[in-house]
Structures are given as structure tokens and as C-alpha cells.
């Protein structure tokens, strides 16, 4: 059992079995009128009842009307803001700015806790490499280092310096584990991952989150190698609790225990719950155990149950709940402050990715006649998946734009809807375009198309939006495109027609203002893609850090009409033919991970190392001079990728190991330095140990995967 305080030990000694099992449940979104009775019956945790006053009433029932007076733990999915809605987590990852992510989490925590929330089910640290999966929006994308860095930042922001603080909430790293690799991108689907991939990809951000002090970890809905995670002793207990020493709470996902029956590993609810607690689950979400109390108690080891109870009570204690169960209702924050709005606006701006700006149409010049078209011109659907229904709403881009350019003739013609198969409005948009000096196309995927249970098989702009883009392109009037989305989209059918394209994601309460800031050049869109943008759905999964193959391709496919042309029999291109690629696609993705530029331009000096050869356990300093070669201040994101030249296990082609977002004034040079040591050069063995193999490592340094300079470091044999 984990070490516990005298108070927790004393309580456990006094508790009945029923009281213990009550502590091991969070009721999944009960009706308000049912919740008080559930608390009276001994339920340990509930979802937030949406106000400080209602939360205090719950606490009063728990403290005054239960035998032991144990306060209730109040949880909620505070995912990207409570009242002030920040950009979706995938967008936060695109900022490559962990300090900013920490500030956003601290803001969300302060707003949430003021209303009585003590426990959030965030951050999602699942590595997601399949954009068909809708939940990619909730995490930090495809990369292990970026995800781990943002996870650490978010946990630190939620927790602050102490969980007792009236501005802190307990973080949950979810969904443990490998939930981001479901077959076919279908939510809740099967995962089969090797030990190597688990250790080096999926487990790693959780390991970092646990080391950063995550208060809880949520089990995932999927199986791993046939064993559903809610009953996976090897991962929940052997790895998470024993190997990593995690002493917090393992919470189940909604109905995840009940789901063990359809998964086909449990006969009934008692069997499911027993397997889950035995495997290491501490809190069940969805209310099964009281239904099956007797059968469960007959099966589960009592020491295990006491350990689970101890973990829950210890979290309550760490949050200061026993000393102060109530919140100050007068201090509840119910609307964003100006400072909160400024912070989230900054985040939305910093998450915007300039995909291309061929004719330097952006930022917009002083055009007189401007057309705003596309469904996002007037829509206020900017908050994104998992935004709170009580969060501060966003305004529309049309309203914001018109107020910022009162000198211009701004016309607004939506042209098409997000989803409807109706192109009759396109003619009006085309007509308006012909009377304009520039067109701003505001397209994308509405919030409801990403998030949980929102997998898609077609990742193009939905509805008739592509037709609108093509129709505007045909007018010959200059145009720029802003894409709002919660996932990478397939844009290959039209992207070459569009000279300037920005990805704005779902930016939250301040999205409209931020997008106009970026369009007008009042701010720089210098985010970077946290996920690869594929050329086609058939290419998925496509991610940069893939394992090296024995037959890497150097060109794309050349599918034509005859078998000779595709090289089946012809001798000329046999070498190219038998490589890992698609016959009918160009090589590589549409846009790689880390891609994006800004309005400023940069050049890098040659990367320098403090030593060319090091022993294991030693590290080197890598530095590079970044010069702003433009006439405006801007941000560059310096990225360092490692290529392990020869290893005992086929290494990834490249792997991000460090990055820094740096602001450089026009004409100025800043030096950026990184420490490169075991953590950066090593990989994990199946038993979790980090190993650094001797040999040469290429460090590729640059502003984007496709614009890097190499420098070699050698790890010597001991
Ligand atoms: C989701 C979790 C979430 C929980 C509670 C589930 O359906 O998978 O991520 O925390 O609901 O809302």
C-alpha cells in the first residue's frame, strides 16, 4: 500500500466496506437532483454541478450528512479552459510554447477551482498519428517530445505550487495507454502495439507526466495486445504503479468497467469490476460497484481495495479538502477577465500556422474592397471540441474584421454551409469576388466533427467548401484562405490554387480577434504543425518519426497506364520501383510535422557543438545563431532532430528531441542553445530502461523538418 497520513489511515480503519466502495466511484454526470442522494449514500466523487453554490451544497451533504464526513471530490473535463476558452490542445501544441501552455492551464485551473472543481480529466497525452481519429484535437499531436513537453507544462499549470491553492486543480494524464493508435482511426477501437513502440512512443508521455507529478491517470477504452486497459494489470500496476512509482489515483473512463463485458473478457458487472480493481484501477467512472457490492467484495483482495481508498483519500487531503471543503461563492469567476482574454488571444495568434504565402498576400495590404466568404465568415463556432457550454462565447470574424477595417468596403457572403450539399450560394460569392480587390476565404471543419466519437473516413473540407475555393480561384481575384479545424485535413485537391493559407484551428473565445490580428499583420502567425498533413486518406498513418525501412523511397510513385511505365518489367526504374511508397502518390506528406513560417524570415548559422565526441552519461551543448533577415520582429521555432545512424533496433528516421521558440527583432541575431545527452540520444528497451548505444548521431537543426543542417556527435564505447 502507498504511504499515507495518520488521518487517512484512521479513516480507512473506521470505514465499512460500503463506505470504501463509495470512495472508489465517480458518478458519471448525474442529474443534479440525484447527486445529493448519491453523496448521502457514500459516493466519493461527482461531476461538477456547474456553480460554486451547488458544489458547496454537495460538500455540506458529504460533510454533515454522512457518517464520516468525508468531503466529495468534484471532477470535470476542464480541457482547454473553463470560462475563458483557450485554443484546443492541438492548437496549443502548435504554439511550440510550453510556457504559454502552462499559463493557459493555470488560468483554467483558477477559473474552475473558484467554482468548486478540484479535479480535471486533462491533459490528454495520447500520441495521435491518425487524423481520422477525432480525438487528435484533444492532445498535442504526433510527436513524443512535443507531447511530453506540453504535458509537463499543462500539469504544472493546473497544479501550481500546491494542490491546496485556491487556484489549483488536480491533473489527469489520459488515456492510458495507446488510445491514439486505434485501428482505422475508429474511436474506441483495438490497439496492438509492440513493447518497443509502447515504450518509445505511447508510454513515454505518461512516464513524463507521472514524473511531473500528475495527480491521476485515466485508463483508456482500448485493448493493448488483446487485454482491455481497464483490466490490464501489466500496464496499470506493473508499469505505472510499480515501475514508475505512481502513487496517485487511476481513474476509469466513462463506463470503461462496464465495457469489459462487450469487450468479451468479463461475464458480468461483478466480474468486470473485480478484474478492474485487481488490475490496479482505483476509481470507477460510471457507478458499477454499488450494484454488485457483495459479489465484488467476495472477489477482490481487501489490501488492494484499501490501497485504492487510500489513494483517493490522499488526493482529497493533498487538495486541502478535509480542512476546507467549501469554496468562497463570492469569489467565483463566471466570466473572463480582460487579462484572461488577452492571454487566450495571444495563444490563438501563436497557434496559427502559415502553411504557405507564395505571393506574400499576407498580411493583407490596405485593400479597399474586401470579400469575406466561406462558412467561417459569419459562424461563431470557434470554441472547439470539449469546450464548456458555460464558457465565454466567441464572436464572428465578419464582425471583428468590419470593426477593424472601418475604412474598407467589407462584404460578407458565406457562399456555402459547413456540411450541406448545396452549392447554390457559390454564384453570389463569385459575383461579390469580382467586385473585390481581395477575397478572404474562411473555411474549415466545425467543432462537432472532431473530438470524441468523431472519426471521419474522408478528411477533405466537408460540404461544398472545396467547390467554393475553386470557384473563387477561377475568378482570378487574389485570395487568401484561413482553415479552422480540429485535425489535419486533406487539402491536396485545391491547395495549389491557393497562394496563401493559414491554419487557425479552433481558437476559443478570442479566435475571431486573433484571426483578424493575423490577417491584418498586427500579429505573426508563427505556429508550427504538431501533426503531419497527409496528401490522401490512403496514406494514413503518415508521420515523420517512422521507423527506417530497408527500402526507403527517394521519389514518389509514377502510376500511368501501362505495366512497362510503372516499372513492372522495364529495367530502367527497377531500383525506384521496389521502395516503400504508393504508386499513385508523390513522395511524402502534403505538409510535414513542424512545418510553418511567419511574416518574418530567418537564416541559421552553422550548428555548433561543444564537443564532437562524448562518453555515455555525458552531454554536449548544441548552439545555433538565428538571424532575422526581414524588416519585422518575428518568432522562429528552432527544432532539433536526432538521427541514430546505426542502432540495434531500426531507429526512427528522425526524432524531435529539443525545440525553442525564439523572438528575434528585425536584423538581429539570437543564439539558441540545447543540451543533448542520454535522454535525447537514447531509446527505451522493452523493460523500460534507457539505453544509449555507442556510435554516431546526426543532429539536424532547423526551422522545419525539410530545412535543417546536420552536425554529427559520436558517443564513444566505454
Ligand atoms: C472520455 C474521457 C472523459 C470522460 C468524462 C469519456 O467519454 O473518453 O476523456 O474524461 O468521458 O467526461
Amino acid at each position: 500500500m502507498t504511504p499515507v497520513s495518520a488521518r487517512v489511515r484512521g479513516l480507512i480503519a473506521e470505514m465499512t466496506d460500503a463506505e470504501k466502495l463509495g470512495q472508489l466511484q465517480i458518478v458519471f454526470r448525474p442529474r443534479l437532483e440525484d447527486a445529493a442522494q448519491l453523496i448521502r449514500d457514500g459516493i466519493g466523487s461527482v461531476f461538477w454541478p456547474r456553480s460554486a453554490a451547488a458544489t458547496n451544497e454537495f460538500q455540506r451533504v458529504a460533510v454533515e450528512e454522512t457518517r464520516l464526513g468525508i468531503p466529495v471530490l468534484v471532477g470535470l473535463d476542464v480541457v482547454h479552459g473553463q470560462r475563458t476558452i483557450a485554443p484546443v490542445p492541438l492548437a496549443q501544441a502548435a504554439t511550440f510554447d510550453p510556457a504559454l501552455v502552462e499559463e493557459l492551464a493555470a488560468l483554467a485551473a483558477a477559473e474552475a477551482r473558484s467554482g468548486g472543481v478540484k479535479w480535471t480529466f486533462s491533459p490528454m497525452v495520447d500520441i495521435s498519428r491518425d487524423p481520422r481519429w477525432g480525438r487528435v484535437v484533444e492532445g498535442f499531436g504526433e510527436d513524443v517530445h512535443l507531447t511530453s513537453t506540453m504535458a509537463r507544462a499543462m500539469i504544472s499549470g493546473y497544479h501550481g505550487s500546491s494542490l491546496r491553492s485556491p487556484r489549483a486543480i488536480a491533473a489527469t494524464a489520459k488515456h492510458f495507454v495507446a488510445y491514439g493508435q486505434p485501428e482505422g482511426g475508429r474511436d474506441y477501437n483495438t490497439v496492438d502495439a509492440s513493447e518497443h513502440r509502447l515504450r518509445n512512443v505511447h508510454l513515454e508521455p505518461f512516464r513524463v507526466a507521472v514524473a511531473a507529478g500528475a495527480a491521476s491517470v485515466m485508463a483508456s477504452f482500448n485493448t493493448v495486445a488483446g487485454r482491455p486497459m481497464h483490466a490490464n494489470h501489466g500496464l496499470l500496476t506493473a508499469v505505472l504503479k510499480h515501475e514508475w512509482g505512481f502513487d496517485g489515483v487511476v481513474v476509469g473512463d466513462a463506463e470503461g468497467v462496464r465495457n469489459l463485458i462487450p469487450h468479451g473478457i468479463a461475464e458480468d458487472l461483478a466480474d468486470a469490476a473485480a478484474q478492474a480493481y485487481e488490475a490496479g484501477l482505483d476509481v470507477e467512472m460510471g457507478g458499477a460497484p454499488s450494484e454488485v457490492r457483495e459479489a465484488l467484495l467476495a472477489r477482490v483482495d481487501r489490501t488492494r481495495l484499501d490501497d485504492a481508498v487510500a489513494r483517493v483519500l490522499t488526493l482529497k487531503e493533498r487538495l486541502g479538502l478535509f480542512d476546507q471543503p467549501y469554496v468562497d461563492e463570492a469569489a467565483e469567476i463566471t466570466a473572463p477577465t480582460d487579462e484572461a482574454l488577452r492571454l487566450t488571444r495571444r495563444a490563438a495568434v501563436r497557434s496559427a500556422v502559415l502553411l504557405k504565402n507564395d505571393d506574400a498576400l499576407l498580411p493583407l495590404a490596405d485593400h479597399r474592397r474586401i470579400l469575406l466568404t466561406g462558412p467561417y465568415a459569419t459562424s461563431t463556432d470557434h470554441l472547439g471540441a470539449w469546450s464548456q457550454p458555460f464558457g465565454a462565447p466567441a464572436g464572428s470574424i465578419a464582425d471583428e474584421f468590419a470593426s477593424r477595417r472601418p475604412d474598407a468596403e467589407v462584404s460578407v457572403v458565406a457562399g456555402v454551409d459547413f456540411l450541406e450539399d448545396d452549392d447554390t450560394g457559390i454564384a453570389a460569392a463569385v459575383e461579390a469576388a469580382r467586385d473585390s480587390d481581395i477575397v478572404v476565404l474562411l473555411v474549415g471543419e466545425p467543432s462537432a466533427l472532431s473530438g470524441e466519437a468523431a472519426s471521419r473516413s474522408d478528411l477533405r473540407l466537408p460540404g461544398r467548401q472545396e467547390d467554393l475555393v475553386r470557384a473563387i480561384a477561377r475568378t482570378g481575384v487574389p485570395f487568401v484562405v484561413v482553415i479552422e479545424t480540429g485535425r489535419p485535413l486533406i487539402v491536396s485537391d485545391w491547395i495549389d490554387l491557393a497562394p496563401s493559407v493559414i491554419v487557425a484551428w479552433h481558437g476559443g473565445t478570442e479566435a475571431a480577434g486573433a484571426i483578424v490580428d493575423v490577417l491584418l499583420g498586427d500579429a505573426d502567425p508563427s505556429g508550427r504543425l504538431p501533426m503531419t498533413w497527409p496528401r490522401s486518406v490512403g496514406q494514413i498513418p503518415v508521420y515523420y518519426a517512422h521507423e527506417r525501412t530497408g527500402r526507403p523511397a527517394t521519389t514518389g510513385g509514377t502510376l500511368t497506364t501501362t505495366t512497362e511505365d510503372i516499372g513492372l518489367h522495364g529495367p530502367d526504374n527497377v531500383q525506384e520501383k521496389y521502395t516503400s511508397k504508393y504508386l499513385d502518390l508523390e513522395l511524402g506528406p502534403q505538409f510535414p510535422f513542424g512545418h510553418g513560417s511567419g511574416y518574418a524570415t530567418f537564416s541559421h548559422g552553422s550548428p555548433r557543438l561543444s564537443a564532437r565526441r562524448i562518453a555515455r552519461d555525458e552531454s554536449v551543448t548544441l548552439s545555433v545563431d538565428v538571424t532575422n533577415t526581414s524588416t519585422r520582429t518575428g518568432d522562429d521555432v528552432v527544432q532539433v532532430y536526432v538521427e541514430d545512424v546505426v542502432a540495434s533496433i531500426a531507429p526512427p528516421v528522425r526524432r524531435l528531441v529539443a525545440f525553442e521558440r525564439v523572438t528575434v527583432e528585425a536584423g538581429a541575431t539570437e543564439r539558441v542553445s540545447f543540451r543533448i545527452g542520454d535522454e535525447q540520444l537514447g531509446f527505451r528497451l522493452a523493460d523500460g530502461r534507457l539505453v544509449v548505444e555507442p556510435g554516431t548521431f546526426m543532429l539536424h537543426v532547423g526551422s522545419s523538418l525539410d530545412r535543417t543542417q546536420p552536425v554529427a556527435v559520436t558517443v564513444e564505447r566505454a
Side-chain angles (χ1 to χ4, degrees):
M1 201 160 118
T2 33
V4 290
S5 69
R7 166 161 44 198
V8 168
R9 243 192 339 271
L11 277 170
I12 292 176
E14 270 190 75
M15 288 168 92
T16 63
D17 286 339
E19 283 164 341
K20 287 179 183 174
L21 282 186
Q23 290 301 315
L24 305 188
Q25 290 176 70
I26 175 164
V27 182
F28 186 57
R29 304 191 190 134
R31 290 188 315 163
L32 204 51
E33 51 274 35
D34 298 336
Q37 189 53 43
L38 287 164
I39 295 167
R40 245 173 241 118
D41 292 344
I43 285 292
S45 303
V46 291
F47 270 70
W48 188 57
R50 295 202 178 183
S51 73
T55 309
N56 279 347
E57 174 55 14
F58 280 7
Q59 295 296 11
R60 193 198 58 73
V61 173
V63 171
E64 293 178 11
E65 299 186 27
T66 64
R67 193 176 72 94
L68 296 170
I70 299 171
V72 71
L73 185 54
V74 178
L76 180 72
D77 294 276
V78 181
V79 172
H80 53 112
Q82 175 77 340
R83 302 293 183 168
T84 317
I85 305 302
V88 291
L90 190 64
Q92 294 188 33
T95 66
F96 278 70
D97 186 348
L100 179 58
V101 169
E102 182 170 348
E103 278 186 80
L104 292 171
L107 167 67
E111 289 184 354
R113 179 127 181 186
S114 80
V117 177
K118 300 286 194 313
W119 185 21
T120 180
F121 308 119
S122 161
M124 182 182 107
V125 306
D126 299 310
I127 298 296
S128 28
R129 294 177 168 179
D130 190 331
R132 291 171 296 183
W133 189 50
R135 301 197 82 166
V136 302
V137 67
E138 296 176 46
F140 304 118
E142 77 179 46
D143 184 64
V144 178
H145 178 67
L146 181 61
T147 299
S148 303
T149 306
M150 293 310 190
R152 196 186 292 116
M154 203 173 251
I155 291 165
S156 168
Y158 287 143
H159 285 199
S161 52
S162 161
L163 281 180
R164 298 179 78 88
S165 153
R167 305 178 69 81
I169 54 179
T172 303
K174 73 184 186 187
H175 308 81
F176 188 80
V177 61
Y179 184 43
Q181 193 188 296
E183 285 186 358
R186 293 182 288 278
D187 207 358
Y188 316 124
N189 217 271
T190 300
V191 174
D192 198 355
S194 66
E195 282 287 343
H196 174 67
R197 184 167 291 189
L198 275 178
R199 286 293 182 176
N200 287 284
V201 177
H202 298 293
L203 282 167
E204 184 61 12
F206 286 95
R207 192 191 62 79
V208 171
V210 167
S216 63
V217 168
M218 183 183 284
S220 55
F221 288 127
N222 54 282
T223 51
V224 171
R227 191 74 188 153
M229 279 308 305
H230 279 67
N232 198 315
H233 187 273
L235 289 162
L236 292 182
T237 296
V239 173
L240 175 63
K241 289 183 169 175
H242 291 169
E243 187 186 316
W244 295 348
F246 175 65
D247 60 4
V249 170
V250 176
V251 61
D253 203 343
E255 307 278 340
V257 169
R258 207 176 278 267
N259 291 170
L260 295 177
I261 305 169
H263 257 307
I265 68 149
E267 281 175 3
D268 53 28
L269 210 45
D271 186 19
Q275 290 194 47
Y277 287 117
E278 289 285 9
L281 196 86
D282 301 312
V283 170
E284 196 265 346
M285 184 182 282
S290 49
E291 289 174 47
V292 293
R293 186 177 299 155
E294 298 312 318
L296 179 61
L297 287 169
R299 292 188 46 172
V300 181
D301 174 59
R302 294 307 169 93
T303 318
R304 172 74 267 279
L305 276 192
D306 284 357
D307 171 56
V309 175
R311 287 167 183 266
V312 173
L313 297 182
T314 301
L315 179 54
K316 292 184 176 186
E317 188 173 56
R318 288 180 64 204
L319 284 158
L321 270 176
F322 289 106
D323 303 322
Q324 180 47 280
Y326 302 107
V327 284
D328 178 359
E329 290 171 30
E332 181 174 10
I333 303 166
T334 54
T337 61
D338 288 347
E339 201 188 333
L341 292 175
R342 270 196 299 278
L343 177 66
T344 46
R345 170 89 151 246
R346 185 155 174 267
V349 158
R350 286 169 88 81
S351 70
V353 179
L354 185 60
L355 283 183
K356 57 189 290 199
N357 197 11
D358 291 349
D359 303 337
L361 287 177
L362 287 169
L364 296 177
D366 286 340
H367 303 283
R368 203 173 54 78
R369 298 172 309 161
I370 303 168
L371 169 67
L372 306 183
T373 184
Y376 264 120
T378 50
S379 169
T380 54
D381 171 58
H382 302 298
L383 299 189
W386 279 116
S387 50
Q388 312 293 14
F390 39 81
S396 80
I397 295 169
D399 288 348
E400 180 75 23
F401 200 100
S403 75
R404 299 274 289 276
R405 284 295 312 272
D407 55 313
E409 281 172 39
V410 178
S411 47
V412 181
V413 181
V416 294
D417 175 66
F418 282 119
L419 303 179
E420 273 174 34
D421 186 20
D422 177 2
D423 62 358
T424 49
I426 293 182
V430 164
E431 201 177 313
R434 293 211 171 96
D435 287 338
S436 306
D437 303 320
I438 185 118
V439 178
V440 181
L441 258 158
L442 298 148
V443 295
E445 195 193 60
S447 300
L449 291 202
S450 57
E452 187 173 351
S455 297
R456 290 185 67 200
S457 66
D458 177 353
L459 297 184
R460 290 174 298 180
L461 288 169
R464 301 302 287 266
Q465 296 184 74
E466 286 196 351
D467 293 339
L468 177 66
V469 177
R470 286 195 199 90
I472 295 295
R474 276 196 299 272
T475 64
V477 178
F479 71 104
V480 302
V481 181
V482 177
I483 306 173
E484 253 187 273
T485 176
R487 58 150 64 83
L489 295 174
I490 305 292
V491 294
S492 46
D493 289 349
W494 57 266
I495 195 85
D496 291 342
L497 303 173
S500 298
V501 182
I502 291 178
V503 179
W505 319 105
H506 296 128
T509 300
E510 282 291 286
I515 288 170
V516 176
D517 287 346
V518 163
L519 285 170
L520 298 182
D522 294 337
D524 221 8
S526 41
R528 298 289 186 266
L529 293 180
M531 278 184 85
T532 303
W533 280 45
R535 284 184 196 279
S536 82
V537 167
Q539 195 186 28
I540 295 170
V542 53
Y543 50 93
Y544 85 92
H546 61 85
E547 261 172 35
R548 277 157 60 180
T549 76
R551 295 188 172 199
T554 52
T555 66
T558 50
L559 182 63
T560 52
T561 48
T562 67
T563 45
E564 282 74 20
D565 286 340
I566 63 172
L568 277 180
H569 309 297
D572 298 346
N573 56 355
V574 161
Q575 291 302 326
E576 278 167 25
K577 160 121 176 101
Y578 293 98
T579 59
S580 181
K581 61 167 185 273
Y582 295 98
L583 287 178
D584 53 358
L585 273 188
E586 280 176 53
L587 189 65
Q590 189 74 46
F591 296 107
F593 171 86
H595 174 82
S597 51
Y599 297 149
T601 49
F602 299 91
S603 73
H604 289 183
S606 301
R608 276 191 299 241
L609 284 174
S610 58
R612 289 288 176 158
R613 305 185 75 84
I614 52 172
R616 278 191 236 193
D617 304 330
E618 284 183 352
S619 57
V620 278
T621 303
L622 168 68
S623 52
V624 62
D625 288 341
V626 180
T627 301
N628 183 335
T629 51
S630 74
T631 52
R632 51 182 292 159
T633 299
D635 282 14
D636 191 17
V637 179
V638 184
Q639 303 162 38
V640 181
Y641 296 90
V642 161
E643 176 196 349
D644 190 347
V645 178
V646 179
S648 59
I649 284 189
V653 282
R654 287 183 184 192
R655 188 165 57 83
L656 184 74
V657 293
F659 63 85
E660 188 163 328
R661 182 171 176 140
V662 57
T663 304
V664 190
E665 284 181 16
T669 298
E670 298 282 339
R671 178 160 299 173
V672 182
S673 299
F674 306 94
R675 283 206 83 66
I676 304 292
D678 284 3
E679 285 281 335
Q680 288 70 36
L681 301 177
F683 65 90
R684 295 209 174 258
L685 301 172
D687 63 6
R689 272 178 305 142
L690 184 73
V691 60
V692 180
E693 295 183 339
T696 299
F697 296 81
M698 301 305 296
L699 304 174
H700 300 273
V701 190
S703 304
S704 167
L705 258 177
D706 47 11
R707 278 179 287 136
T708 55
Q709 303 182 78
V711 58
V713 61
T714 299
V715 175
E716 290 175 337
R717 272 171 210 289

